[in-house]
Amino acid sequence: MNAEAPILLTDIVNHHDSVSLADRYERIRSLSLSLVEPLSYEDCQIQSMPDASPIKWHLAHTTWFFEVFILKKYCKDYLSYAPRYDLLFNSHYHGVGPQYDRNLRGVLSRPTVNEILRYREYVDEQMVALLNASPYEVIEQLVLLGLSHEQRHQEAMLMDIKHAFFQNPLYPVYAMSSSASDARQVDMSWTTFEGGLLDIGSIEANALDDEKPRHPYYLRPYRLASRLSTNGEYLRFIQEGGYQLSEYWLSDGWQWLQESGTFAPLYWVKEGDQWFEFTLGGLQPLKLSQPVCHVSYYEAAAFAAWQGKRLPSEQEWEAAVKYRKGPANYFNPSSLQPRTCTSTEFAQVLGDVWEWTTSAYAAYPGFKPFGGDMSEYSAKFMSGKQVMRGGSCLTPPGFVRPTSRSARYPHQRWQMGGIRLAQDAVD
Amino acid sequence: MNAEAPILLTDIVNHHDSVSLADRYERIRSLSLSLVEPLSYEDCQIQSMPDASPIKWHLAHTTWFFEVFILKKYCKDYLSYAPRYDLLFNSHYHGVGPQYDRNLRGVLSRPTVNEILRYREYVDEQMVALLNASPYEVIEQLVLLGLSHEQRHQEAMLMDIKHAFFQNPLYPVYAMSSSASDARQVDMSWTTFEGGLLDIGSIEANALDDEKPRHPYYLRPYRLASRLSTNGEYLRFIQEGGYQLSEYWLSDGWQWLQESGTFAPLYWVKEGDQWFEFTLGGLQPLKLSQPVCHVSYYEAAAFAAWQGKRLPSEQEWEAAVKYRKGPANYFNPSSLQPRTCTSTEFAQVLGDVWEWTTSAYAAYPGFKPFGGDMSEYSAKFMSGKQVMRGGSCLTPPGFVRPTSRSARYPHQRWQMGGIRLAQDAVD
Amino acid sequence: MNAEAPILLTDIVNHHDSVSLADRYERIRSLSLSLVEPLSYEDCQIQSMPDASPIKWHLAHTTWFFEVFILKKYCKDYLSYAPRYDLLFNSHYHGVGPQYDRNLRGVLSRPTVNEILRYREYVDEQMVALLNASPYEVIEQLVLLGLSHEQRHQEAMLMDIKHAFFQNPLYPVYAMSSSASDARQVDMSWTTFEGGLLDIGSIEANALDDEKPRHPYYLRPYRLASRLSTNGEYLRFIQEGGYQLSEYWLSDGWQWLQESGTFAPLYWVKEGDQWFEFTLGGLQPLKLSQPVCHVSYYEAAAFAAWQGKRLPSEQEWEAAVKYRKGPANYFNPSSLQPRTCTSTEFAQVLGDVWEWTTSAYAAYPGFKPFGGDMSEYSAKFMSGKQVMRGGSCLTPPGFVRPTSRSARYPHQRWQMGGIRLAQDAVD
Amino acid sequence: MNAEAPILLTDIVNHHDSVSLADRYERIRSLSLSLVEPLSYEDCQIQSMPDASPIKWHLAHTTWFFEVFILKKYCKDYLSYAPRYDLLFNSHYHGVGPQYDRNLRGVLSRPTVNEILRYREYVDEQMVALLNASPYEVIEQLVLLGLSHEQRHQEAMLMDIKHAFFQNPLYPVYAMSSSASDARQVDMSWTTFEGGLLDIGSIEANALDDEKPRHPYYLRPYRLASRLSTNGEYLRFIQEGGYQLSEYWLSDGWQWLQESGTFAPLYWVKEGDQWFEFTLGGLQPLKLSQPVCHVSYYEAAAFAAWQGKRLPSEQEWEAAVKYRKGPANYFNPSSLQPRTCTSTEFAQVLGDVWEWTTSAYAAYPGFKPFGGDMSEYSAKFMSGKQVMRGGSCLTPPGFVRPTSRSARYPHQRWQMGGIRLAQDAVD
């Protein structure tokens, strides 16, 4: 693609609260463009499975979000860029109109990437003008939600292109990263938490609706693993027959296993006797000390059962993380893989990999969905999914809080889902 | 089938704690035989969908349960009736051997019904001898579990034959019941519950593993509808376009709706302008005052949202019911439909219909699965399902407690699933 | 089932043209009842795949054929036995009304087998009265067609129960047959046919519409194998990797192979190193000298290609067989498997196994479908199928002529389909 | 795409036999490039269904054909351009190696369009050098086959992009064509053919293997419609309920109709009361006088039956066309739709639309497949397909002969398949 002057990602990610909303808008929006720099037009077109979307669709949809929910409502005399885009780039908002079949997004060769980039420019100009020209209190929450939404899609773009490239026997490289050495992993220890009647959920103004309201929740004493489970530990599970031992698997998981023919995490490739992992930097030897990722909930739960342990509930996870300080490993263009843990403390909680929990995604007691158009933002997805916590190394900084909840179907693996073990502190 | 002297169901269902375990065994086992009295050999053979099983398979599988888990282990010199039955009648216990494909159970014409009845006689003789001959403390829990298991299958037999008969354009009648008149329904009122930190779960010795341990759970104040939602109320939902209004539906539910073409509860039949309901007594005009049943979780949740309400959590339901006394409408051969509510009190909680809750089926904090062979009884089913509470008019008396949890996939409708509305008591 | 006095099959099958139409009706109809003698009610209920039907459905459908196409039209004041049966037992005659979903026939437990037997009695009484009371010329062709139709279903009953029993790990036995020894097979030789412009098709009054009109067809000189290919020859194809060598397979066949996971003829079972074949007499060691059967067109064509040969066209087959005399091996209750060939002449052409041809099932030039209700008898099935010729050892005597055409989809295997090799006589 | 100097299509298509093979190679190859001129990179990437392929894949695969079957074998010291392309661009030639899943071709974003264009340049240079440098007799047949193969894919490129664009609600335009007016259609008349024992098939050196050998075939007297059936005639079939009248449909066709929900030819769009047709020139009002096209074999056969007629056999078609002269309407960049017939003679036989025949695609008597690598060119596709004859307005001139046979599955519609009626000349 026609390269523009590259934006320094460090500029984007180290944002300060002192920046204006318009600046924040531009910085976050520009990261989306940076993410497509390494890609060809053709790369931006493809959709490798229904769960994924073409990169160009992400670019257009996130733009449509600002257009339809903000510009059309709050920008006087706003002229729609292309009314026919509404059908194409509405993801699932029945309230504002119909949607094109999501399974077929990859077939829409028009508008082209360049046309979508012009669409972004048009909307961005209008948005910045709106944010600069007027007191924006009335739309501040919506803009912040739109930016959070953009960040969610930034992670999805990386997930989706990784999945698409993996289908290609040429194993294309998205970005060469300074290949981390396969450091020696530290031993896992257990951190004990007292439990009791604790507050779960957020009171922040900018929190999503599904993080609210803050409410009391009773927890028994419990222990969490000090670090994430590693590729090496998971490989032992494979080698000792874990995928053939039904007693460790959920019934649904066992059926999924038989139907899908799964025998290892997504992106693991065995050539001869050696294991490799497909990454955004191409196919690489499996690094045993790195956190295992791209496992389904079924695999995570079976691995935990095989270890004689379990996964944490989302409340156990949140209570453990909420008031801790510590380094986070979020999106950083120089390294797009989770890092080997080098600490013996309770670690690796923010970033690296999303951590599966035993909690089904459901409304908190007293839950009130966003109103208006945004009523479809979270509430209608509250069935059939498990909560994941903590963000990953593909998550843009600033997107995830300790109270943030991500929800995935138990069989999904193209997100960076990993494992932290848990156990009861008393029997 | 060759009718034996009919067993008086009143004898069976009014069991007293004073009866011996052997007597209890015989009474509960004989109910299974009573249930097949109205059926032909052919009726006992058919399997109308993978979720259902042939009636004769239920008769054999519940027998196999006693044979494999009790007789083979605790009866000295026990001679297996037919070793090849192990493959055929093992449902899902990987620990004791392989299983025949459950989707194809309906194709196993052999053993015949009569052969299976002889199998039952053989096992029953041995079981009664075992229970009479010796101190049975060591096996008491297992026998009680086997009887609870038999009762679960007795309800399933009625569910399954109802589903099978519904596929037949001749609409066969299982049992003529004194047709309840379509009584005038009482108004629904709201009962308020205080909430607070309450004990959830059971401490009874005979409780299933998934009801334990009893544990503290914090509830905000809430209100429950005084009675179940009715066919009449649900019909209004249909007539006002509820199945076309995506805003009330969970995303998964909306997709299920499009794919399945559902437009009314299972067993509702529209002929011309009139609605009928298929029942175990044949096709009957829809009785508007009776509780709606055979709805999926998706339909229950959409109906509640359309009412501006929600469904209860399983903890809200249990806390409301646990210490109440009241009439129950469990299995009664003279009436196999839920009854119209005539009370203005908080009512219809035990029996009538299983009540959908917002709670996903998951382990309670501190959960310990049954050990040994029974480790596969509950634990492995803890994903993808919603909890239902309270039992139905097809549930044998003595099977369900206020702490009992039934779990179904959100799309399942052949169980008698109904709706009790809930709301927060404070905003 | 309640055994009536067994009918001697030799009485049925050795019918003479001198018998009256009423006698012929009764003999052929009674064979259907003889065929179900060894079966239980449950056996008669099951449907093991959509291509197959329950035995009791065959009994009812063939009866319905006489009722709807003859009695209702030609019997004055005929009183329909049960009007609701029309929906259930109409196979595919859109012209006379709707049909119940053929995939779900196995779920119709009512009417029961006994009810269907009463239905047969009722219709048979009326039919015999009609045939005895009056000059029947007007209906003679229809009655003969109905009897031919009954015979077609008699073969299907044996095919279907064989398939159903094969799904049962108990491997039930339909009929013990005097187990033929595995005779030494004679060498295959080649018989040459001159070809030229020959007449193909039938001029018989009773021929089906698809056998007509007789028409000229030009054949180049060709050779046919003197006998059918054997299990032993086919086993060598398997052992030398035939199922892994794509070059011998049709493209559709190769895809079918990958999707179905096929690695041997239907009913072949490998236990350890030994091959068995499931038969109507139960599981038996594979007899290498018997004709291979239960192969798909794809397998037959691949085997022929691997031999460097091809299959015959239906015209080549018919021209070779039309004017020959020779023994036939049709249905004979004492032996329900194809026989080992002991002749070195051109042999095994009538009976034993249906022989796959390279000819797609299509209308002959000048084809006129039966008129009226019978327009749906053959014509609408003329796409997607291959012609098979010659009948099998499950075909009732008197059903198949040298001009008879059977049509099956290329993947179908539950009919007794076998292989006769062919080649050009000149290059 | 970066436009190069446009090639005048008239230069390409009016080729003369006097041109050298190298010139012919360059002209035909350059047409492929001309065809992609109107397309974006994204357009070239997409695959709208498994039957179709991405445009860029066509460009690469036709190139790979020359590389693997000619350059690698006949060009001394040939250096493979990119060995990994073999896996990606092998369509179905098992003999030369494995193939990438054809359903997923649209996911291969790499190599990009530009990379594939460089691959074409590389191979073309080598090919031209080979053709110029040496006596090429030894490879002439292979080169001509490769060019015929390229032309087949040129038609497929137009079919595939049309199908892909039709999925896009923006209805992109491939090429504006001088919109033919909806001329008044001439009446259809019937042309009688004598039949007799005629020669079918080709003796030309360059004919494909499936056109050979020439062989005698006996035809009864028959009549063919003087022109193709029109949109207007087909519209009447729709309006008079043709899609609801099972008696006109093949059984497989009727099932296809129910499952696919088809109610009109592919590309017909009804908006309000008006019919439109999607074309390579975009969405246009349906022109009633133009030949109907994009119908399946099932639709063609049902339409013919509804007319009281039938479709022709391929032998009837070939015998009628073989020795006639007349205008042809093959690919012409100025008009990409079939033309309205203005002649009352026997017309529209070459070009316009491929004509469905009743003949299944099968080997001619005495058929010998191409040898070596090319044994997979035709023979393995000889099951399940119907023959189409005559070429279409998307077929490059010079590709189709009167003896040429195209084969499609009966349900396929994205090729330009139309209808010529036939009937017997005598009853």
Side-chain angles (χ1 to χ4, degrees), chain A residues 172-243:
Chain A
V173 169
Y174 171 79
M176 296 308 293
S177 60
S178 53
S179 181
S181 66
D182 193 356
R184 185 145 176 287
Q185 71 184 53
V186 296
D187 287 344
M188 194 182 80
S189 62
W190 292 92
T191 308
T192 302
F193 299 88
E194 295 288 317
L197 194 63
L198 302 169
D199 278 340
I200 296 295
S202 175
I203 53 173
E204 284 184 45
N206 297 342
L208 297 182
D209 53 358
D210 66 356
E211 301 171 68
K212 296 182 178 181
R214 176 167 290 187
H215 60 284
Y217 193 91
Y218 185 86
L219 285 175
R220 292 159 44 108
Y222 62 102
R223 295 196 179 101
L224 296 184
S226 60
R227 60 160 172 77
L228 298 167
S229 294
T230 63
N231 286 331
E233 288 158 351
Y234 199 86
L235 182 58
R236 200 163 64 84
F237 172 61
I238 295 176
Q239 289 168 338
E240 299 193 3
Y243 281 80

Side-chain angles (χ1 to χ4, degrees), chain A residues 94 246 251-252 366 380 383 409, chain B residues 94 246 251-252 380 383 409:
Chain A
H94 296 294
S246 68
S251 179
D252 287 354
K380 74 180 182 182
S383 74
Y409 291 110
Chain B
H94 296 293
S246 68
S251 180
D252 287 353
K380 73 180 182 184
S383 76
Y409 291 110

Side-chain angles (χ1 to χ4, degrees), chain A residues 163-180:
Chain A
H163 189 269
F165 277 0
F166 185 58
Q167 313 310 310
N168 194 326
L170 305 182
Y171 291 137
V173 169
Y174 171 79
M176 296 308 293
S177 60
S178 53
S179 181

Side-chain angles (χ1 to χ4, degrees), chain A residues 94 197 213 216-218 220 246 249-252 254 298 360 365-366 368 379-384 409 424 427, chain B residues 94 197 213 216-218 220 246 249-252 254 298 360 365-366 368 379-384 409 424 427:
Chain A
H94 296 294
L197 194 63
Y217 193 91
Y218 185 86
R220 292 159 44 108
S246 68
W249 293 79
L250 287 161
S251 179
D252 287 354
W254 186 249
Y298 300 129
K368 295 275 173 292
K380 74 180 182 182
F381 299 109
M382 290 175 171
S383 74
Y409 291 110
D424 294 349
D427 274 340
Chain B
H94 296 293
L197 193 64
Y217 193 92
Y218 185 87
R220 293 160 42 108
S246 68
W249 292 78
L250 287 161
S251 180
D252 287 353
W254 187 248
Y298 300 129
K368 295 275 172 294
K380 73 180 182 184
F381 298 109
M382 289 175 172
S383 76
Y409 291 110
D424 294 350
D427 272 341

Side-chain angles (χ1 to χ4, degrees), chain C residues 94 197 213 216-218 220 246 249-252 254 297-298 360 362 365-366 368 379-384 409 424 427, chain D residues 94 197 213 216-218 220 246 249-252 254 297-298 358 360 365-366 368 379-384 409 424 427:
Chain C
H94 296 295
L197 193 64
Y217 193 91
Y218 186 86
R220 292 159 43 108
S246 68
W249 292 79
L250 287 161
S251 180
D252 288 354
W254 187 250
Y297 176 67
Y298 300 130
K368 295 276 172 292
K380 74 180 184 184
F381 299 109
M382 289 175 172
S383 75
Y409 291 109
D424 294 349
D427 272 342
Chain D
H94 296 293
L197 193 63
Y217 193 92
Y218 186 86
R220 292 159 44 107
S246 68
W249 292 79
L250 286 161
S251 179
D252 288 354
W254 187 250
Y297 176 68
Y298 301 129
T358 57
K368 296 275 173 295
K380 74 180 183 184
F381 299 109
M382 290 177 172
S383 76
Y409 291 109
D424 293 350
D427 272 342

Side-chain angles (χ1 to χ4, degrees), chain D residues 37-83:
Chain D
E37 280 298 317
L39 301 178
S40 69
Y41 293 112
E42 294 89 340
D43 297 334
C44 293
Q45 177 62 44
I46 60 181
Q47 178 182 33
S48 54
M49 61 169 175
D51 283 344
S53 294
I55 298 301
K56 77 175 201 191
W57 188 91
H58 288 290
L59 293 176
H61 163 68
T62 49
T63 303
W64 169 87
F65 191 97
F66 288 106
E67 185 183 44
V68 72
F69 296 124
I70 298 179
L71 291 177
K72 287 193 181 172
K73 304 207 164 171
Y74 300 97
C75 181
K76 197 161 171 290
D77 302 327
Y78 177 73
L79 191 66
S80 172
Y81 181 78

Side-chain angles (χ1 to χ4, degrees), chain D residues 342-354:
Chain D
T342 56
S343 164
T344 56
E345 307 285 298
F346 182 63
Q348 291 189 306
V349 289
L350 294 176
D352 286 310
V353 301
W354 287 96

